[in-house]
Amino acid sequence: MYFSTLVLASLAIICLSAPSVSADQQPIGASEPNTISSSWTKELISLHRHLITTESISGNEYDVGKWLSKYLKDDDWTIETQKVNHDSSRLNILAYPGKVRNPDLLISSHIDTVPPFYPYKIYSNDSETIISGRGSVDAKASVAAQIIATKKLLAEKKLKKDDVALLYVVGEEVHGDGMRAANALELTPKTIIFGEPTEGKLATGHKGMLGFTINAFGKAAHSGYPWLGRSANEVLVKSLSALMQLGLELPKSDKYGSTTINLGKIEGGVAGNVVAQNATAQIAIRIAAGTPDDIGKRVVEVIKEATEEFKLPGHEDEEMFEIVFAGKGYGPVDIDHDVEGFGTITVNYGTDIPNLEKLDGQKRYLYGPGSILVAHSDHEAITLTDLKTAVKDYEKLILHSFV
Ligand SMILES: *[C@@H]1O[C@H](CO)[C@@H](O)[C@H](O)[C@H]1NC(C)=O
Ligand SMILES: *[C@@H]1O[C@H](CO)[C@@H](O)[C@H](O)[C@H]1NC(C)=O
């Protein structure tokens, strides 16, 4: 999950133990308990623990990828690694249990985490076993539950080896370079199940995203003689004020709410008694409606307008700012959610979904255990109950994709 905030589609507490299963979904129906055996639970905890204890902050995913590859290889899976940005320390992992490299079902998530690293802990209170540590939710809970669900269905012969592949990518928490690289793998699955924390619900969609940096250019001078210079800080502050104003009029939608602007990082100047030569700000816009193209154009317009007043006589052509967009951005992403027995949710964070080219008719689902609200925090944690429920839920999603 890239940047964390969310809109809960509903605050209703869903009953995790008894999702309603419609009559036409017999194979996963009533006769089965909605939990997993103690031996699968043991393997789930162990896999989740190994993934968390192996630190994998974006850019440093090599060790966790290596460990995961070996774990699957030991179980006779075929592993293909893909270098991202020609960097042999940054590897996407494609793994398949049978002979088919490009089956109809692809299950995917990411193996990088945000910084900083927090160590693994497992403990119990009166009612729950709780597992904490960086990545315990985002997204190592998804990765572990996806793998256990797949292995379990294979062991129970409910899923054929040639029907599934797993794709675990690097770099989701930064710019999605891992998933963008994965387009070159030329996979053409009919269904993709993505894993990110959705509180055990099926996501119906997420907001779009446009990220950029504003560099404001000033002219240094003694602070006692500010007219001899131009303050990059003032140029930037005016620009940001204009952006906040723009934020109020950007498009809304019923499904995703408001488009929001986050002034995430601001830096400028060198000292109190110097007119600032440079100032910079990093911005993320979460798009509820409209296109990143149109919004990007508006951003440039309003900043241009707001900074006119800083033109220095005789230097009218001088650039006072530049805007560096972090890629093209993307509009709101609608996600399939036509599976019975799940609650639904709309999320405000970005995912790797828009980074993987969508094929005609392809189904894309987004589901994962754990809450976004703790995901990037120092108290990231998940209950064992939620982790186990996710295994059952992934089983349902996997079986649904062959209905
Ligand atoms: C135990 O932890 C869970 C998960 O954080 C929490 O929801 C629950 O209220 C806690 N129970 C007690 C008795 O502290
Ligand atoms: C600082 O500002 C000057 C012009 O005012 C510009 O030429 C230079 O590239 C800027 N430096 C940085 C690091 O942005």
Side-chain angles (χ1 to χ4, degrees), residues 217-218 277-278:
F217 305 127
Q277 171 148 339
N278 291 87

Side-chain angles (χ1 to χ4, degrees), residues 215-220 230 232 276-280 318-319 322:
N215 293 317
F217 305 127
K219 194 162 178 276
R230 175 178 59 225
Q277 171 148 339
N278 291 87
T280 174
E318 221 169 76
E319 296 278 6
E322 67 176 358

Side-chain angles (χ1 to χ4, degrees), residues 213-257:
T213 300
I214 305 172
N215 293 317
F217 305 127
K219 194 162 178 276
H222 191 289
S223 63
Y225 307 85
W227 55 86
L228 297 179
R230 175 178 59 225
S231 168
N233 283 343
E234 288 188 24
V235 173
L236 186 65
V237 166
K238 268 277 179 177
S239 304
L240 297 181
S241 167
L243 272 186
M244 285 168 69
Q245 216 35 58
L246 175 68
L248 303 175
E249 61 181 63
L250 286 177
K252 301 177 179 25
S253 67
D254 286 343
K255 183 167 177 183
Y256 299 105

Side-chain angles (χ1 to χ4, degrees), residues 123-130 381-383 386:
Y123 56 96
S124 293
N125 66 14
D126 288 345
S127 56
E128 292 277 7
T129 298
I130 297 156
I382 190 164
T383 64
D386 286 353

Side-chain angles (χ1 to χ4, degrees), residues 230 304 307-320:
R230 175 178 59 225
K304 216 169 164 152
T307 55
E308 283 293 308
E309 63 178 281
F310 295 104
K311 280 194 172 150
L312 295 174
H315 298 269
E316 280 79 7
D317 293 341
E318 221 169 76
E319 296 278 6
M320 289 183 290

